[in-house]
Amino acid sequence: NKMEGLKTVQVLVVARFFSPNVRVIIDYGQKLNWRGLGSYVTDSEGKKQDFTGHIMVLNFMERNGWLHYETLALSRGSQIVYHFYFRKNEEDSKK
């Protein structure tokens, strides 16, 4: 959230049918580790966040100053990959 010049991020949410949790990857332009090794989302205190669905991810991002503006969902085999796009909430960053 504090990266200078960061205005847009993509959040990938991988959901498997009949799975209780989803896998979340936030792409802000960094080199991604697609295997998920060492990649996880933390809150402002550094605590790892576990998500049980894509709505939890949307709420988390908006609580942290991001505005959702686009979604793309792709189905492949037994999983659905949601691509959520967010813009930095300029109103929040002025507070």
Side-chain angles (χ1 to χ4, degrees):
N1 271 350
K2 297 183 195 258
M3 181 182 233
E4 193 172 316
L6 185 63
K7 293 183 179 182
T8 304
V9 296
Q10 173 183 219
V11 177
L12 302 172
V13 178
V14 181
R16 294 189 179 275
F17 295 122
F18 308 112
S19 176
N21 292 317
V22 295
R23 187 166 147 231
V24 178
I25 300 168
I26 299 180
D27 176 5
Y28 53 88
Q30 82 281 23
K31 184 175 180 177
L32 291 175
N33 179 352
W34 288 102
R35 292 181 183 207
L37 302 174
S39 91
Y40 51 88
V41 178
T42 60
D43 66 12
S44 60
E45 297 171 357
K47 182 180 175 192
K48 183 179 179 214
Q49 298 293 291
D50 291 317
F51 300 99
T52 56
H54 59 283
I55 296 301
M56 282 185 75
V57 176
L58 289 170
N59 286 328
F60 175 83
M61 292 298 290
E62 293 206 5
R63 272 194 316 271
N64 283 281
W66 294 94
L67 296 172
H68 174 251
Y69 71 91
E70 183 83 44
T71 300
L72 172 67
L74 302 171
S75 177
R76 183 169 184 154
S78 65
Q79 68 183 20
I80 298 174
V81 180
Y82 296 93
H83 299 253
F84 295 109
Y85 297 89
F86 292 87
R87 284 192 185 102
K88 191 72 154 170
N89 185 347
E90 298 300 325
E91 303 253 334
D92 278 355
S93 45
K94 291 177 186 176
K95 292 180 183 178

Coordinates of all heavy atoms in Angstrom, one line a residue:
N1 N 0.8 -1.2 0.0 CA 0.0 0.0 0.0 C 0.8 1.3 0.0 O 0.4 2.3 -0.4 CB -0.9 0.0 1.2 CG -2.3 -0.6 0.9 OD1 -2.6 -1.0 -0.2 ND2 -3.0 -0.8 2.0
K2 N 2.1 1.2 0.5 CA 2.9 2.4 0.6 C 3.9 2.6 -0.6 O 4.7 3.5 -0.6 CB 3.6 2.4 1.9 CG 2.6 2.4 3.1 CD 3.4 2.4 4.4 CE 2.4 2.1 5.5 NZ 1.9 2.9 6.3
M3 N 3.8 1.7 -1.6 CA 4.7 1.8 -2.7 C 4.5 3.1 -3.5 O 3.3 3.3 -3.8 CB 4.6 0.6 -3.6 CG 5.5 0.5 -4.8 SD 5.1 -0.9 -5.8 CE 6.7 -1.6 -5.9
E4 N 5.5 3.9 -3.7 CA 5.3 5.2 -4.4 C 4.9 4.9 -5.8 O 5.4 4.1 -6.5 CB 6.6 5.9 -4.3 CG 6.5 7.3 -4.7 CD 7.8 8.1 -4.5 OE1 8.4 8.0 -3.5 OE2 8.1 8.9 -5.4
G5 N 3.9 5.7 -6.2 CA 3.4 5.7 -7.6 C 2.4 4.5 -7.9 O 1.9 4.4 -9.0
L6 N 2.1 3.7 -6.9 CA 1.2 2.6 -7.0 C -0.2 3.1 -7.1 O -0.7 3.7 -6.1 CB 1.4 1.6 -5.9 CG 0.6 0.3 -5.9 CD1 1.0 -0.5 -7.2 CD2 0.8 -0.5 -4.7
K7 N -0.9 2.9 -8.2 CA -2.3 3.3 -8.4 C -3.2 2.2 -8.7 O -4.4 2.3 -8.5 CB -2.3 4.4 -9.5 CG -1.6 5.7 -9.1 CD -1.7 6.7 -10.2 CE -1.0 8.0 -9.7 NZ -1.1 9.0 -10.7
T8 N -2.8 1.2 -9.3 CA -3.6 0.1 -9.8 C -3.0 -1.3 -9.4 O -1.8 -1.4 -9.5 CB -3.8 0.1 -11.3 OG1 -4.3 1.4 -11.7 CG2 -4.8 -0.9 -11.8
V9 N -3.8 -2.2 -8.9 CA -3.4 -3.5 -8.7 C -4.4 -4.5 -9.2 O -5.6 -4.2 -9.4 CB -3.2 -3.8 -7.1 CG1 -2.1 -3.0 -6.6 CG2 -4.5 -3.7 -6.4
Q10 N -3.9 -5.7 -9.5 CA -4.7 -6.8 -9.9 C -4.7 -7.9 -8.8 O -3.6 -8.2 -8.3 CB -4.2 -7.5 -11.2 CG -4.9 -8.7 -11.6 CD -4.4 -9.4 -12.8 OE1 -5.1 -9.9 -13.6 NE2 -3.1 -9.4 -13.0
V11 N -5.8 -8.4 -8.4 CA -5.9 -9.4 -7.4 C -6.4 -10.7 -8.1 O -7.5 -10.7 -8.6 CB -6.8 -9.0 -6.2 CG1 -6.9 -10.1 -5.2 CG2 -6.3 -7.7 -5.6
L12 N -5.7 -11.8 -8.0 CA -6.1 -13.0 -8.5 C -6.6 -13.9 -7.4 O -5.9 -14.0 -6.4 CB -4.9 -13.8 -9.2 CG -4.3 -13.0 -10.4 CD1 -3.0 -13.8 -10.8 CD2 -5.2 -12.8 -11.5
V13 N -7.8 -14.4 -7.5 CA -8.4 -15.3 -6.5 C -8.7 -16.6 -7.2 O -9.5 -16.7 -8.1 CB -9.7 -14.7 -5.9 CG1 -10.3 -15.6 -4.9 CG2 -9.4 -13.3 -5.3
V14 N -8.0 -17.6 -6.7 CA -8.1 -19.0 -7.3 C -9.0 -19.8 -6.4 O -8.7 -20.0 -5.2 CB -6.8 -19.7 -7.5 CG1 -7.0 -21.0 -8.1 CG2 -5.8 -18.8 -8.3
A15 N -10.2 -20.2 -6.9 CA -11.1 -21.0 -6.1 C -11.3 -22.3 -6.8 O -11.5 -22.4 -8.0 CB -12.5 -20.3 -6.1
R16 N -11.2 -23.4 -5.9 CA -11.4 -24.7 -6.4 C -12.8 -25.2 -5.9 O -13.2 -24.9 -4.8 CB -10.4 -25.7 -5.9 CG -9.0 -25.4 -6.4 CD -8.0 -26.5 -6.1 NE -6.7 -26.3 -6.6 CZ -6.3 -26.6 -7.8 NH1 -7.2 -27.2 -8.6 NH2 -5.1 -26.4 -8.2
F17 N -13.5 -25.9 -6.8 CA -14.8 -26.4 -6.4 C -14.7 -27.3 -5.2 O -13.8 -28.1 -5.0 CB -15.4 -27.2 -7.5 CG -15.7 -26.4 -8.8 CD1 -15.2 -26.7 -10.0 CD2 -16.6 -25.3 -8.7 CE1 -15.4 -25.9 -11.1 CE2 -16.8 -24.5 -9.8 CZ -16.3 -24.8 -11.0
F18 N -15.6 -27.1 -4.2 CA -15.7 -27.8 -3.0 C -14.5 -27.6 -2.0 O -14.3 -28.4 -1.1 CB -15.9 -29.3 -3.2 CG -17.0 -29.6 -4.2 CD1 -16.8 -30.1 -5.4 CD2 -18.3 -29.4 -3.8 CE1 -17.8 -30.4 -6.3 CE2 -19.3 -29.6 -4.6 CZ -19.1 -30.1 -5.9
S19 N -13.7 -26.5 -2.2 CA -12.6 -26.2 -1.3 C -13.1 -25.1 -0.4 O -13.7 -24.2 -0.8 CB -11.4 -25.8 -2.1 OG -10.4 -25.4 -1.2
P20 N -12.7 -25.2 0.9 CA -13.1 -24.2 1.9 C -12.4 -22.9 1.8 O -12.9 -21.9 2.3 CB -12.9 -24.9 3.2 CG -11.7 -25.8 3.0 CD -11.9 -26.3 1.5
N21 N -11.2 -22.8 1.2 CA -10.5 -21.6 1.1 C -10.1 -21.3 -0.3 O -10.2 -22.1 -1.2 CB -9.2 -21.7 1.9 CG -9.4 -21.8 3.4 OD1 -10.2 -21.1 3.9 ND2 -8.7 -22.7 4.0
V22 N -9.7 -20.0 -0.5 CA -9.3 -19.6 -1.9 C -7.8 -19.1 -1.7 O -7.3 -18.8 -0.7 CB -10.1 -18.4 -2.4 CG1 -11.5 -18.9 -2.7 CG2 -10.1 -17.2 -1.5
R23 N -7.1 -19.2 -2.9 CA -5.7 -18.7 -2.9 C -5.7 -17.3 -3.5 O -6.4 -17.0 -4.5 CB -4.9 -19.6 -3.8 CG -3.4 -19.3 -3.7 CD -2.6 -20.5 -4.3 NE -1.5 -19.9 -4.9 CZ -1.1 -20.2 -6.2 NH1 -1.7 -21.0 -6.9 NH2 0.0 -19.6 -6.6
V24 N -5.0 -16.4 -2.9 CA -5.0 -15.0 -3.3 C -3.6 -14.5 -3.7 O -2.7 -14.7 -2.9 CB -5.6 -14.1 -2.2 CG1 -5.5 -12.6 -2.6 CG2 -7.0 -14.5 -1.8
I25 N -3.5 -13.9 -4.8 CA -2.2 -13.3 -5.3 C -2.5 -11.9 -5.6 O -3.4 -11.6 -6.4 CB -1.6 -14.1 -6.5 CG1 -1.4 -15.5 -6.1 CG2 -0.4 -13.4 -7.0 CD1 -1.1 -16.4 -7.3
I26 N -1.8 -10.9 -5.0 CA -1.9 -9.5 -5.4 C -0.7 -9.1 -6.3 O 0.4 -9.3 -5.9 CB -1.9 -8.6 -4.1 CG1 -3.1 -9.0 -3.3 CG2 -2.0 -7.2 -4.5 CD1 -3.3 -8.2 -2.0
D27 N -1.1 -8.7 -7.5 CA -0.1 -8.3 -8.5 C -0.1 -6.8 -8.6 O -1.0 -6.1 -9.0 CB -0.5 -8.9 -9.8 CG 0.5 -8.5 -11.0 OD1 1.5 -7.8 -10.7 OD2 0.2 -8.8 -12.1
Y28 N 1.0 -6.2 -8.0 CA 1.2 -4.7 -8.1 C 2.4 -4.4 -9.0 O 2.9 -3.3 -9.0 CB 1.4 -4.1 -6.7 CG 2.4 -4.7 -5.9 CD1 3.8 -4.3 -5.9 CD2 2.1 -5.8 -5.0 CE1 4.7 -4.9 -5.2 CE2 3.1 -6.4 -4.2 CZ 4.4 -5.9 -4.3 OH 5.4 -6.5 -3.6
G29 N 2.8 -5.4 -9.9 CA 3.9 -5.2 -10.8 C 5.1 -5.9 -10.5 O 6.1 -5.8 -11.2
Q30 N 5.1 -6.6 -9.3 CA 6.3 -7.4 -8.9 C 6.4 -8.7 -9.7 O 5.5 -9.1 -10.4 CB 6.2 -7.7 -7.4 CG 5.4 -8.9 -7.1 CD 3.9 -8.6 -7.0 OE1 3.4 -7.7 -7.7 NE2 3.2 -9.5 -6.3
K31 N 7.6 -9.3 -9.7 CA 7.7 -10.6 -10.3 C 6.9 -11.6 -9.4 O 7.1 -11.7 -8.2 CB 9.2 -11.0 -10.3 CG 9.5 -12.3 -11.0 CD 10.9 -12.6 -11.1 CE 11.1 -13.9 -11.8 NZ 12.5 -14.2 -12.0
L32 N 6.0 -12.3 -10.0 CA 5.1 -13.2 -9.3 C 5.7 -14.6 -9.1 O 6.4 -15.1 -10.1 CB 3.8 -13.3 -10.0 CG 2.9 -12.1 -9.9 CD1 1.7 -12.3 -10.8 CD2 2.6 -11.7 -8.5
N33 N 5.5 -15.2 -8.0 CA 5.8 -16.6 -7.7 C 4.5 -17.4 -7.8 O 3.8 -17.4 -6.9 CB 6.4 -16.7 -6.3 CG 6.8 -18.1 -6.0 OD1 6.5 -19.0 -6.7 ND2 7.5 -18.3 -4.9
W34 N 4.3 -17.9 -9.0 CA 3.0 -18.5 -9.3 C 2.7 -19.8 -8.5 O 1.6 -20.3 -8.3 CB 2.8 -18.8 -10.8 CG 2.6 -17.6 -11.5 CD1 3.6 -16.9 -12.2 CD2 1.5 -16.8 -11.6 NE1 3.0 -15.7 -12.7 CE2 1.7 -15.6 -12.3 CE3 0.2 -16.9 -11.0 CZ2 0.8 -14.7 -12.6 CZ3 -0.7 -15.9 -11.3 CH2 -0.4 -14.8 -12.1
R35 N 3.8 -20.4 -7.9 CA 3.5 -21.6 -7.1 C 3.1 -21.2 -5.7 O 2.7 -22.0 -4.9 CB 4.8 -22.4 -7.0 CG 5.2 -23.0 -8.3 CD 6.4 -23.8 -8.1 NE 6.8 -24.3 -9.4 CZ 7.5 -25.4 -9.6 NH1 7.9 -26.1 -8.6 NH2 7.7 -25.8 -10.8
G36 N 3.1 -19.9 -5.4 CA 2.6 -19.4 -4.1 C 3.6 -19.6 -3.0 O 3.2 -19.3 -1.8
L37 N 4.8 -20.0 -3.2 CA 5.7 -20.2 -2.2 C 6.1 -18.8 -1.6 O 6.6 -18.0 -2.3 CB 7.0 -20.9 -2.7 CG 6.7 -22.3 -3.3 CD1 8.0 -22.8 -3.9 CD2 6.1 -23.2 -2.3
G38 N 5.9 -18.7 -0.3 CA 6.2 -17.4 0.3 C 5.3 -16.3 0.0 O 5.6 -15.1 0.4
S39 N 4.2 -16.5 -0.8 CA 3.4 -15.4 -1.2 C 2.1 -15.5 -0.4 O 1.4 -16.5 -0.5 CB 3.1 -15.4 -2.7 OG 2.0 -16.1 -3.0
Y40 N 1.8 -14.5 0.4 CA 0.5 -14.5 1.1 C 0.2 -13.0 1.4 O 1.1 -12.1 1.3 CB 0.6 -15.3 2.4 CG 1.8 -15.0 3.3 CD1 1.7 -14.0 4.3 CD2 2.9 -15.7 3.2 CE1 2.8 -13.8 5.1 CE2 4.0 -15.5 4.0 CZ 3.9 -14.5 4.9 OH 5.0 -14.2 5.7
V41 N -1.0 -12.8 1.8 CA -1.5 -11.4 2.1 C -1.5 -11.2 3.6 O -1.9 -12.1 4.4 CB -2.9 -11.2 1.6 CG1 -3.5 -9.9 1.9 CG2 -3.0 -11.5 0.1
T42 N -1.0 -10.0 4.0 CA -1.0 -9.6 5.4 C -1.8 -8.4 5.7 O -2.0 -7.6 4.8 CB 0.5 -9.4 5.9 OG1 1.0 -8.3 5.2 CG2 1.3 -10.6 5.8
D43 N -2.3 -8.2 6.9 CA -3.0 -7.0 7.3 C -1.9 -5.9 7.6 O -0.7 -6.2 7.5 CB -4.0 -7.3 8.4 CG -3.4 -7.7 9.7 OD1 -2.2 -7.6 9.9 OD2 -4.1 -8.1 10.5
S44 N -2.4 -4.8 8.1 CA -1.5 -3.7 8.4 C -0.6 -4.0 9.6 O 0.4 -3.3 9.8 CB -2.3 -2.4 8.7 OG -3.2 -2.6 9.8
E45 N -0.9 -5.0 10.4 CA 0.0 -5.4 11.5 C 0.9 -6.6 11.1 O 1.6 -7.1 12.0 CB -0.9 -5.7 12.7 CG -1.7 -4.6 13.2 CD -2.7 -4.9 14.3 OE1 -2.9 -6.1 14.6 OE2 -3.4 -4.0 14.7
G46 N 0.8 -7.0 9.9 CA 1.7 -8.1 9.4 C 1.1 -9.5 9.7 O 1.8 -10.5 9.4
K47 N -0.1 -9.6 10.1 CA -0.8 -10.9 10.4 C -1.3 -11.5 9.1 O -1.9 -10.8 8.3 CB -1.9 -10.7 11.3 CG -2.6 -12.0 11.7 CD -3.8 -11.8 12.7 CE -4.5 -13.1 12.9 NZ -5.8 -12.9 13.5
K48 N -0.9 -12.7 8.8 CA -1.3 -13.4 7.6 C -2.9 -13.5 7.6 O -3.5 -13.8 8.5 CB -0.8 -14.8 7.5 CG -1.1 -15.6 6.3 CD -0.5 -17.0 6.2 CE -0.9 -17.6 4.9 NZ -1.1 -19.0 5.1
Q49 N -3.4 -13.2 6.4 CA -4.8 -13.3 6.2 C -5.2 -14.5 5.4 O -4.6 -14.9 4.4 CB -5.3 -12.1 5.3 CG -5.0 -10.8 6.0 CD -5.9 -10.6 7.3 OE1 -7.1 -10.5 7.2 NE2 -5.2 -10.6 8.4
D50 N -6.2 -15.3 5.9 CA -6.8 -16.4 5.2 C -8.2 -16.0 4.7 O -8.9 -15.4 5.5 CB -6.9 -17.6 6.2 CG -5.5 -18.2 6.5 OD1 -4.7 -18.3 5.6 OD2 -5.3 -18.5 7.7
F51 N -8.5 -16.3 3.5 CA -9.7 -16.0 2.9 C -10.5 -17.2 2.6 O -10.0 -18.2 2.0 CB -9.5 -15.2 1.6 CG -8.8 -13.9 1.9 CD1 -7.4 -13.8 1.6 CD2 -9.4 -12.8 2.3 CE1 -6.7 -12.7 1.8 CE2 -8.7 -11.6 2.5 CZ -7.4 -11.5 2.3
T52 N -11.8 -17.2 2.9 CA -12.7 -18.3 2.6 C -13.5 -18.1 1.3 O -14.2 -19.0 0.9 CB -13.6 -18.7 3.7 OG1 -14.4 -17.5 4.0 CG2 -12.9 -19.1 4.9
G53 N -13.4 -16.9 0.7 CA -14.1 -16.6 -0.5 C -13.7 -15.3 -1.1 O -13.1 -14.5 -0.5
H54 N -14.2 -15.1 -2.3 CA -13.7 -13.8 -3.0 C -14.4 -12.6 -2.5 O -13.8 -11.5 -2.5 CB -14.0 -14.0 -4.5 CG -15.4 -14.2 -4.9 ND1 -16.0 -15.4 -4.8 CD2 -16.4 -13.4 -5.4 CE1 -17.3 -15.4 -5.2 NE2 -17.5 -14.1 -5.6
I55 N -15.5 -12.7 -1.8 CA -16.1 -11.5 -1.2 C -15.3 -11.0 0.0 O -15.1 -9.8 0.2 CB -17.6 -11.8 -0.8 CG1 -18.5 -12.1 -2.0 CG2 -18.2 -10.6 0.0 CD1 -18.5 -11.0 -3.0
M56 N -14.7 -11.9 0.7 CA -13.8 -11.6 1.8 C -12.6 -10.8 1.3 O -12.2 -9.8 1.9 CB -13.3 -12.8 2.5 CG -14.2 -13.4 3.5 SD -13.5 -14.8 4.4 CE -12.4 -13.8 5.6
V57 N -12.1 -11.2 0.1 CA -11.0 -10.5 -0.5 C -11.4 -9.0 -0.9 O -10.7 -8.1 -0.7 CB -10.5 -11.2 -1.8 CG1 -9.4 -10.5 -2.5 CG2 -10.0 -12.6 -1.4
L58 N -12.6 -8.9 -1.6 CA -13.1 -7.6 -2.0 C -13.2 -6.7 -0.8 O -12.8 -5.5 -0.8 CB -14.4 -7.7 -2.7 CG -14.4 -8.3 -4.1 CD1 -15.8 -8.6 -4.6 CD2 -13.7 -7.4 -5.0
N59 N -13.8 -7.2 0.3 CA -14.0 -6.4 1.5 C -12.6 -6.0 2.1 O -12.4 -4.8 2.6 CB -14.8 -7.1 2.6 CG -16.3 -7.2 2.2 OD1 -16.8 -6.3 1.6 ND2 -16.9 -8.3 2.6
F60 N -11.7 -6.9 2.1 CA -10.3 -6.6 2.7 C -9.7 -5.5 1.9 O -9.1 -4.6 2.5 CB -9.5 -7.9 2.6 CG -8.1 -7.7 3.0 CD1 -7.7 -7.7 4.4 CD2 -7.1 -7.5 2.1 CE1 -6.4 -7.5 4.8 CE2 -5.8 -7.3 2.5 CZ -5.4 -7.3 3.8
M61 N -9.7 -5.6 0.6 CA -9.1 -4.6 -0.3 C -9.7 -3.2 -0.1 O -9.0 -2.2 0.0 CB -9.1 -5.0 -1.7 CG -8.3 -6.2 -2.1 SD -6.5 -5.9 -1.8 CE -6.1 -4.8 -3.1
E62 N -11.1 -3.2 0.0 CA -11.7 -1.9 0.1 C -11.5 -1.3 1.5 O -11.3 -0.1 1.6 CB -13.2 -2.0 -0.2 CG -13.4 -2.3 -1.7 CD -14.7 -1.9 -2.3 OE1 -15.5 -1.2 -1.6 OE2 -14.9 -2.2 -3.5
R63 N -11.4 -2.1 2.5 CA -11.0 -1.6 3.9 C -9.6 -1.0 3.9 O -9.3 -0.2 4.7 CB -11.1 -2.8 4.9 CG -12.4 -3.0 5.5 CD -12.3 -3.9 6.8 NE -11.5 -5.0 6.6 CZ -11.9 -6.2 6.2 NH1 -13.1 -6.4 5.8 NH2 -11.0 -7.2 6.1
N64 N -8.8 -1.5 3.0 CA -7.4 -1.0 2.9 C -7.2 0.1 1.9 O -6.0 0.3 1.4 CB -6.5 -2.2 2.7 CG -6.3 -3.0 4.0 OD1 -5.5 -2.6 4.9 ND2 -7.0 -4.1 4.1
G65 N -8.2 0.8 1.5 CA -8.1 1.9 0.6 C -8.1 1.7 -0.9 O -7.6 2.5 -1.6
W66 N -8.6 0.6 -1.4 CA -8.7 0.3 -2.8 C -10.1 0.2 -3.3 O -11.0 -0.3 -2.6 CB -8.0 -1.1 -3.1 CG -6.5 -1.0 -2.8 CD1 -5.9 -1.4 -1.6 CD2 -5.5 -0.6 -3.6 NE1 -4.6 -1.2 -1.7 CE2 -4.3 -0.7 -2.9 CE3 -5.5 -0.1 -4.9 CZ2 -3.1 -0.3 -3.5 CZ3 -4.3 0.3 -5.5 CH2 -3.1 0.2 -4.8
L67 N -10.4 0.8 -4.5 CA -11.7 0.8 -5.1 C -11.7 -0.3 -6.2 O -10.9 -0.2 -7.1 CB -12.0 2.2 -5.6 CG -12.1 3.3 -4.6 CD1 -12.2 4.6 -5.3 CD2 -13.3 3.1 -3.7
H68 N -12.7 -1.2 -6.1 CA -12.9 -2.2 -7.2 C -13.5 -1.6 -8.4 O -14.5 -0.8 -8.3 CB -13.7 -3.3 -6.6 CG -14.1 -4.3 -7.6 ND1 -15.4 -4.4 -8.1 CD2 -13.4 -5.3 -8.2 CE1 -15.4 -5.4 -9.0 NE2 -14.2 -6.0 -9.0
Y69 N -12.9 -1.8 -9.6 CA -13.5 -1.3 -10.8 C -13.8 -2.3 -11.9 O -14.5 -2.0 -12.9 CB -12.7 -0.1 -11.3 CG -11.4 -0.4 -11.9 CD1 -11.3 -0.6 -13.3 CD2 -10.3 -0.4 -11.1 CE1 -10.0 -0.9 -13.8 CE2 -9.0 -0.7 -11.7 CZ -8.9 -0.9 -13.0 OH -7.7 -1.2 -13.5
E70 N -13.2 -3.5 -11.8 CA -13.4 -4.5 -12.9 C -13.2 -5.9 -12.4 O -12.3 -6.1 -11.6 CB -12.4 -4.2 -14.0 CG -12.4 -5.0 -15.3 CD -13.5 -4.6 -16.2 OE1 -13.6 -3.3 -16.5 OE2 -14.3 -5.4 -16.7
T71 N -13.9 -6.8 -13.0 CA -13.7 -8.2 -12.7 C -13.8 -9.1 -13.9 O -14.6 -8.8 -14.8 CB -14.9 -8.7 -11.7 OG1 -14.8 -8.0 -10.5 CG2 -14.7 -10.2 -11.4
L72 N -12.9 -10.1 -14.0 CA -12.9 -11.1 -15.1 C -12.8 -12.4 -14.4 O -12.0 -12.6 -13.5 CB -11.7 -10.9 -16.0 CG -11.5 -11.9 -17.0 CD1 -12.6 -11.9 -18.1 CD2 -10.1 -11.6 -17.7
A73 N -13.7 -13.4 -14.8 CA -13.7 -14.7 -14.2 C -13.5 -15.7 -15.3 O -14.2 -15.7 -16.3 CB -15.0 -15.0 -13.4
L74 N -12.5 -16.6 -15.1 CA -12.2 -17.6 -16.0 C -12.3 -19.0 -15.4 O -11.7 -19.2 -14.3 CB -10.8 -17.5 -16.6 CG -10.5 -16.1 -17.3 CD1 -9.0 -16.0 -17.6 CD2 -11.3 -16.0 -18.6
S75 N -12.9 -19.9 -16.0 CA -13.1 -21.3 -15.5 C -12.2 -22.2 -16.3 O -12.1 -22.2 -17.5 CB -14.5 -21.7 -15.6 OG -14.7 -23.1 -15.2
R76 N -11.5 -23.1 -15.5 CA -10.6 -24.0 -16.1 C -10.6 -25.3 -15.3 O -10.1 -25.3 -14.1 CB -9.2 -23.5 -16.3 CG -8.3 -24.5 -17.0 CD -7.0 -23.8 -17.3 NE -6.2 -24.8 -18.1 CZ -5.3 -24.5 -18.9 NH1 -5.0 -23.2 -19.2 NH2 -4.7 -25.4 -19.6
G77 N -11.1 -26.4 -15.8 CA -11.2 -27.6 -15.0 C -12.0 -27.5 -13.8 O -13.1 -27.1 -13.8
S78 N -11.4 -27.8 -12.7 CA -12.1 -27.7 -11.4 C -11.8 -26.4 -10.6 O -12.1 -26.3 -9.4 CB -11.6 -28.9 -10.5 OG -10.2 -28.7 -10.2
Q79 N -11.4 -25.4 -11.3 CA -11.1 -24.1 -10.6 C -11.7 -22.9 -11.4 O -11.8 -23.0 -12.6 CB -9.7 -23.9 -10.3 CG -8.8 -23.7 -11.5 CD -7.3 -23.6 -11.0 OE1 -6.9 -24.0 -10.0 NE2 -6.5 -23.0 -11.9
I80 N -11.9 -21.9 -10.7 CA -12.3 -20.6 -11.3 C -11.2 -19.6 -10.8 O -10.9 -19.5 -9.6 CB -13.7 -20.1 -10.8 CG1 -14.7 -21.1 -11.3 CG2 -14.0 -18.7 -11.4 CD1 -16.1 -20.8 -10.8
V81 N -10.7 -18.8 -11.7 CA -9.8 -17.7 -11.4 C -10.5 -16.4 -11.6 O -10.9 -16.1 -12.7 CB -8.5 -17.8 -12.2 CG1 -7.5 -16.7 -11.8 CG2 -7.8 -19.2 -12.1
Y82 N -10.6 -15.6 -10.5 CA -11.2 -14.3 -10.6 C -10.0 -13.3 -10.7 O -9.1 -13.4 -9.9 CB -12.0 -14.0 -9.3 CG -13.2 -14.9 -9.1 CD1 -13.1 -16.0 -8.4 CD2 -14.4 -14.5 -9.7 CE1 -14.2 -16.8 -8.2 CE2 -15.5 -15.4 -9.6 CZ -15.4 -16.5 -8.8 OH -16.5 -17.3 -8.6
H83 N -10.2 -12.4 -11.6 CA -9.2 -11.3 -11.8 C -9.9 -10.0 -11.4 O -10.8 -9.6 -12.1 CB -8.7 -11.2 -13.2 CG -8.1 -12.4 -13.8 ND1 -6.7 -12.4 -14.0 CD2 -8.5 -13.6 -14.1 CE1 -6.4 -13.6 -14.4 NE2 -7.5 -14.3 -14.5
F84 N -9.6 -9.5 -10.2 CA -10.2 -8.3 -9.7 C -9.2 -7.1 -9.9 O -8.0 -7.3 -9.6 CB -10.6 -8.4 -8.2 CG -11.6 -9.4 -7.9 CD1 -11.3 -10.6 -7.3 CD2 -12.9 -9.2 -8.2 CE1 -12.2 -11.5 -6.9 CE2 -13.9 -10.1 -7.9 CZ -13.5 -11.3 -7.3
Y85 N -9.7 -6.0 -10.4 CA -8.9 -4.8 -10.6 C -9.3 -3.7 -9.7 O -10.5 -3.5 -9.5 CB -8.9 -4.4 -12.1 CG -8.4 -5.5 -13.0 CD1 -9.2 -6.4 -13.5 CD2 -7.1 -5.5 -13.3 CE1 -8.8 -7.4 -14.3 CE2 -6.6 -6.5 -14.1 CZ -7.4 -7.5 -14.6 OH -6.9 -8.4 -15.4
F86 N -8.3 -3.1 -9.0 CA -8.5 -2.1 -8.0 C -7.7 -0.8 -8.4 O -6.6 -0.9 -8.9 CB -8.1 -2.5 -6.6 CG -9.0 -3.6 -6.1 CD1 -8.7 -4.9 -6.3 CD2 -10.1 -3.3 -5.3 CE1 -9.5 -6.0 -5.8 CE2 -10.9 -4.3 -4.7 CZ -10.6 -5.7 -5.0
R87 N -8.3 0.3 -8.0 CA -7.5 1.6 -8.1 C -7.4 2.1 -6.6 O -8.3 1.9 -5.8 CB -8.4 2.6 -8.8 CG -8.3 2.4 -10.3 CD -8.9 3.7 -11.0 NE -8.9 3.4 -12.4 CZ -10.0 3.1 -13.1 NH1 -11.2 3.0 -12.5 NH2 -10.0 2.8 -14.4
K88 N -6.3 2.8 -6.4 CA -6.1 3.4 -5.1 C -7.1 4.5 -4.9 O -7.4 5.3 -5.8 CB -4.7 4.1 -5.1 CG -4.2 4.6 -3.8 CD -3.9 3.4 -3.0 CE -2.8 3.8 -1.9 NZ -2.6 2.7 -1.0
N89 N -7.7 4.5 -3.7 CA -8.8 5.4 -3.3 C -8.1 6.7 -2.9 O -7.5 6.8 -1.9 CB -9.6 4.9 -2.2 CG -10.8 5.8 -1.9 OD1 -10.8 7.0 -2.3 ND2 -11.7 5.3 -1.1
E90 N -8.0 7.7 -3.8 CA -7.3 9.0 -3.6 C -7.9 9.7 -2.4 O -7.2 10.4 -1.7 CB -7.3 9.8 -4.9 CG -6.6 9.2 -6.1 CD -5.2 8.9 -5.8 OE1 -4.5 9.7 -5.1 OE2 -4.7 7.9 -6.3
E91 N -9.2 9.6 -2.2 CA -9.8 10.2 -1.0 C -9.3 9.7 0.3 O -9.0 10.5 1.2 CB -11.4 10.0 -1.0 CG -12.0 10.4 -2.3 CD -12.8 11.7 -2.1 OE1 -13.3 11.9 -1.0 OE2 -13.0 12.4 -3.1
D92 N -9.0 8.4 0.4 CA -8.5 7.8 1.6 C -7.0 8.3 1.8 O -6.6 8.4 2.9 CB -8.5 6.3 1.5 CG -9.9 5.7 1.9 OD1 -10.7 6.5 2.3 OD2 -10.1 4.5 1.8
S93 N -6.3 8.4 0.7 CA -4.8 8.7 0.9 C -4.6 10.2 1.3 O -3.6 10.5 1.7 CB -4.0 8.4 -0.4 OG -4.7 8.8 -1.5
K94 N -5.7 11.0 1.1 CA -5.6 12.4 1.5 C -5.9 12.6 3.0 O -5.6 13.7 3.6 CB -6.5 13.3 0.7 CG -6.1 13.3 -0.8 CD -7.1 14.1 -1.6 CE -6.7 14.0 -3.1 NZ -7.7 14.7 -3.9
K95 N -6.5 11.6 3.7 CA -6.8 11.7 5.1 C -5.6 11.7 6.0 O -4.7 11.0 5.7 CB -7.8 10.6 5.5 CG -9.1 10.8 4.8 CD -10.1 9.7 5.2 CE -11.4 9.8 4.5 NZ -12.3 8.7 4.8

